[in-house]
């Protein structure tokens, strides 16, 4: 029941957050056109990938960390993101012709969002996690409502995120517990050496996972147009978001719960089977809902630009089903399993993206063919991942039974 309550709490915050995000996307399209939606989606995707590059999964150590190491973990995350955001902002700013200082500060802000979320997960502080996620989305919506043009909106978005997350971190962590030694080069180098396997393997996997979720938007901007990227962004917000709400709620909850199990050298196999069944049922419901209701909603109250996004929603259905049914279960590999296999999962997805959104467009394939290829190949890949996750869970259960007997 505790797991169900935590999933419900995280999911409710995500629902409100995504509703606010959907309103923001609609407001951008209403004021500035669908092409600006594509531009906003490209910046947002860039920043989310950059935040993972800054962290390299060091924030995922926070829920599993012993109390005496927590302060060093937080300091390492902050210092790492301050440094790593510089090359990321410079490189991507030059590639996409965006303001480098703006990208640096916004990327750093979203990196701190990851730190704050994992501090909440560590203590099971789900009400504050709910507040934080809703507030992050509200920053975007309020900036859009208040600012008269896109340039001022982006500046207000950046400043709002930095102020909000600074306040959240002060609320979640006692910075008075830190000493000057926590900021020393030797202490942070020692932390890096101790957790090198996690940061190098899981960190690479997490960066690739975030890239897999956001690179399609950026590549569609490059190979097709901001307008087409706007269609993809709209479908991602209205169709992919409900899937990700449920998937991330389950993922965060079982990550928190199973991290505690890991610290106590145990694994709850019956709970794993219940989570797997729940995800499969939720996937069926979500796909049927998208198939039936997305076209109806678009025809009821949206312009022709939004109606043109309906085919995109159809092409993405195989991907959406597999992403919800299987993706959250990969947490078991992150906590109990092989970091190398967890990294391999993400490399395979990047290869699919390279085929669908780089190779095919380069050889003249249209947007529809590229997207359908991406969706089908991803769903097949997730089938093999599910088989592997079931094997991992079963082996953990057998090991535990042997120890108990």
């Amino acid at each position: 029941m505790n797991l169900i309550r935590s999933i419900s709490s995280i999911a409710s915050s995500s629902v409100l957050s995504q509703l606010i995000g959907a309103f923001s996307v609609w407001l951008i399209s209403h004021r500035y056109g669908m092409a600006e939606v594509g531009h906003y989606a490209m910046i947002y995707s860039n920043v989310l990938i950059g935040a993972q590059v800054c962290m390299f999964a060091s924030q995922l150590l926070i829920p599993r960390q012993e109390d005496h190491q927590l302060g060093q973990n937080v300091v390492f995350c902050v210092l790492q993101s301050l440094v790593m955001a510089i090359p990321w902002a410079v490189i991507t700013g030059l590639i996409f012709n965006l303001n480098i200082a703006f990208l640096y500060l916004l990327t750093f802000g979203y990196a701190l969002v990851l730190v704050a979320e994992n501090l909440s997960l560590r203590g099971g502080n789900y009400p504050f996690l709910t507040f934080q996620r809703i507030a992050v989305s509200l920053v975007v919506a309020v900036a859009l409502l208040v600012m008269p043009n896109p340039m001022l909106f982006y500046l207000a978005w950046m400043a709002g995120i930095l102020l909000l997350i600074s306040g959240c971190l002060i609320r979640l962590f006692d910075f008075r517990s830190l000493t000057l030694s926590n900021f020393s080069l030797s202490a942070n180098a020692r932390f890096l050496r101790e957790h090198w396997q996690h940061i190098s393997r899981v960190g690479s996997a997490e960066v690739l996972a975030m890239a897999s979720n956001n690179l399609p938007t950026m590549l569609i901007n490059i190979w097709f147009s901001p307008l087409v990227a706007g269609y993809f962004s709209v479908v991602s917000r209205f169709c992919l978001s409900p899937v990700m709400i449920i998937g991330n709620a389950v993922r965060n909850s079982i990550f928190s719960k199973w991290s505690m199990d890991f610290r106590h050298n145990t694994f709850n196999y019956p709970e794993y089977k219940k989570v797997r069944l729940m995800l499969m049922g939720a996937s069926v419901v979500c796909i049927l809902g998208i198939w039936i209701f997305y076209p109806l909603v678009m025809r009821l109250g949206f312009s022709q630009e939004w109606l043109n996004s309906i085919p995109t929603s159809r092409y993405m259905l195989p991907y959406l089903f597999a992403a919800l049914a299987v993706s959250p279960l990969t947490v078991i590999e992150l906590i109990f399993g092989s970091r190398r296999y967890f990294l391999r999962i993400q490399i395979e997805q990047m290869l699919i993206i390279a085929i669908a959104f780089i190779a095919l467009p380069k050889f003249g394939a249209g947007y529809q063919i590229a997207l359908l290829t991406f969706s089908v190949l991803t769903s097949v890949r997730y089938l093999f991942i599910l088989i592997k996750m079931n094997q991992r869970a079963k082996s953990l259960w057998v090991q535990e039974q042997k120890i108990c007997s």
Side-chain angles (χ1 to χ4, degrees):
M1 290 303 294
N2 288 334
L3 182 63
I4 297 299
R5 280 198 295 269
S6 65
I7 291 172
S8 300
S9 178
I10 294 173
S12 63
S13 68
S14 298
V15 168
L16 288 173
S17 177
Q18 293 297 336
L19 286 174
I20 296 167
F23 169 74
S24 298
V25 168
W26 174 83
L27 194 57
I28 294 171
S29 71
H30 179 70
R31 286 188 173 181
Y32 309 118
M34 190 63 74
E36 188 61 38
V37 172
H39 182 68
Y40 162 76
M42 182 184 68
I43 292 174
Y44 187 53
S45 297
N46 185 320
V47 166
L48 291 181
I49 298 172
Q52 288 290 353
V53 170
C54 289
M55 288 289 101
F56 248 78
S58 56
Q59 86 281 3
L60 294 178
L61 291 166
I62 290 174
R64 301 166 54 185
Q65 204 66 265
E66 299 296 334
D67 290 341
H68 68 278
Q69 290 184 313
L70 179 60
Q72 189 61 62
N73 198 158
V74 172
V75 170
F76 182 85
C77 288
V78 173
L79 294 180
Q80 182 184 9
S81 57
L82 277 170
V83 174
M84 294 294 290
I86 296 173
W88 178 261
V90 171
I91 293 170
T92 59
L94 292 175
I95 291 174
F96 296 104
N97 195 29
L98 298 170
N99 184 280
I100 293 173
F102 163 75
L103 280 182
Y104 173 78
L105 292 172
L106 191 59
T107 300
F108 176 63
Y110 273 89
L112 295 183
V113 168
L114 299 176
V115 176
E117 286 192 353
N118 279 275
L119 284 169
S120 293
L121 287 172
R122 175 184 174 81
N125 193 351
Y126 299 113
F128 193 80
L129 180 62
T130 299
F131 160 78
Q132 180 185 314
R133 290 187 169 178
I134 294 171
V136 167
S137 296
L138 277 174
V139 167
V140 179
V142 171
L144 273 168
L145 289 170
V146 172
M147 296 303 164
N149 59 61
M151 185 180 73
L152 291 177
F153 153 64
Y154 289 119
L155 291 175
W157 175 22
M158 174 199 71
I161 288 294
L162 289 171
L163 289 172
L164 171 67
I165 297 306
S166 296
C168 289
L169 287 174
I170 292 171
R171 168 69 173 76
L172 288 166
F173 181 72
D174 183 11
F175 285 91
R176 294 172 298 179
S177 64
L178 300 177
T179 63
L180 287 176
S181 63
N182 292 124
F183 295 87
S184 69
L185 181 61
S186 60
N188 286 281
R190 184 168 58 252
F191 182 88
L192 178 60
R193 286 194 302 271
E194 290 174 358
H195 300 284
W196 176 249
Q197 288 295 316
H198 173 92
I199 292 173
S200 61
R201 301 272 176 85
V202 177
S204 299
E206 284 294 305
V207 169
L208 290 175
M210 185 58 71
S212 298
N213 289 334
N214 292 280
L215 264 181
T217 301
M218 301 170 72
L219 292 172
I220 290 169
N221 258 286
I222 295 171
W223 285 106
F224 301 105
S225 71
L227 181 61
V228 175
Y231 297 149
F232 184 83
S233 177
V234 164
V235 172
S236 295
R237 178 64 67 175
F238 282 83
C239 297
L240 180 59
S241 289
V243 169
M244 298 308 292
I245 286 170
I246 301 170
N248 285 334
V250 175
R251 187 180 193 273
N252 288 334
S253 296
I254 61 179
F255 179 69
S256 177
K257 173 65 168 56
W258 292 351
S259 291
M260 295 178 188
D261 291 346
F262 176 82
R263 294 200 295 267
H264 294 93
N265 297 313
T266 186
F267 177 70
N268 191 335
Y269 183 64
E271 184 177 72
Y272 170 84
K273 293 195 292 184
K274 291 177 182 178
V275 170
R276 183 181 61 193
L277 181 61
M278 179 182 67
L279 287 170
M280 194 65 66
S283 300
V284 173
V285 172
C286 281
I287 295 310
L288 289 176
I290 292 167
W291 177 271
I292 296 170
F293 293 107
Y294 183 77
L296 292 177
V297 172
M298 291 299 104
R299 291 189 177 97
L300 284 176
F302 292 89
S303 64
Q304 185 60 44
E305 280 189 327
W306 289 67
L307 286 171
N308 291 339
S309 69
I310 293 176
T312 295
S313 70
R314 299 285 200 238
Y315 299 138
M316 288 180 68
L317 288 177
Y319 164 68
L320 296 175
F321 177 84
L324 178 55
V326 181
S327 182
L329 295 176
T330 59
V331 165
I332 191 176
E333 202 69 25
L334 174 62
I335 299 172
F336 296 98
S338 166
R339 295 182 177 93
R340 182 172 295 176
Y341 182 75
F342 191 73
L343 176 58
R344 176 185 151 189
I345 289 173
Q346 308 308 332
I347 292 174
E348 289 171 352
Q349 185 63 21
M350 288 298 294
L351 289 174
I352 291 173
I353 290 173
I355 292 169
F357 293 115
I358 297 178
L360 288 180
K362 189 174 181 62
F363 288 104
Y367 167 67
Q368 293 84 357
I369 296 297
L371 183 58
L372 189 58
T373 300
F374 165 75
S375 187
V376 172
L377 288 179
T378 300
S379 65
V380 172
R381 166 182 161 271
Y382 271 123
L383 175 62
F384 289 101
I385 291 173
L386 177 61
I387 295 172
K388 180 69 175 180
M389 295 303 100
N390 288 338
Q391 291 173 345
R392 174 68 66 187
K394 187 68 175 178
S395 67
L396 288 169
W397 177 248
V398 170
Q399 290 174 15
E400 184 167 324
Q401 293 302 303
K402 288 181 179 178
I403 293 172
C404 293
S405 60

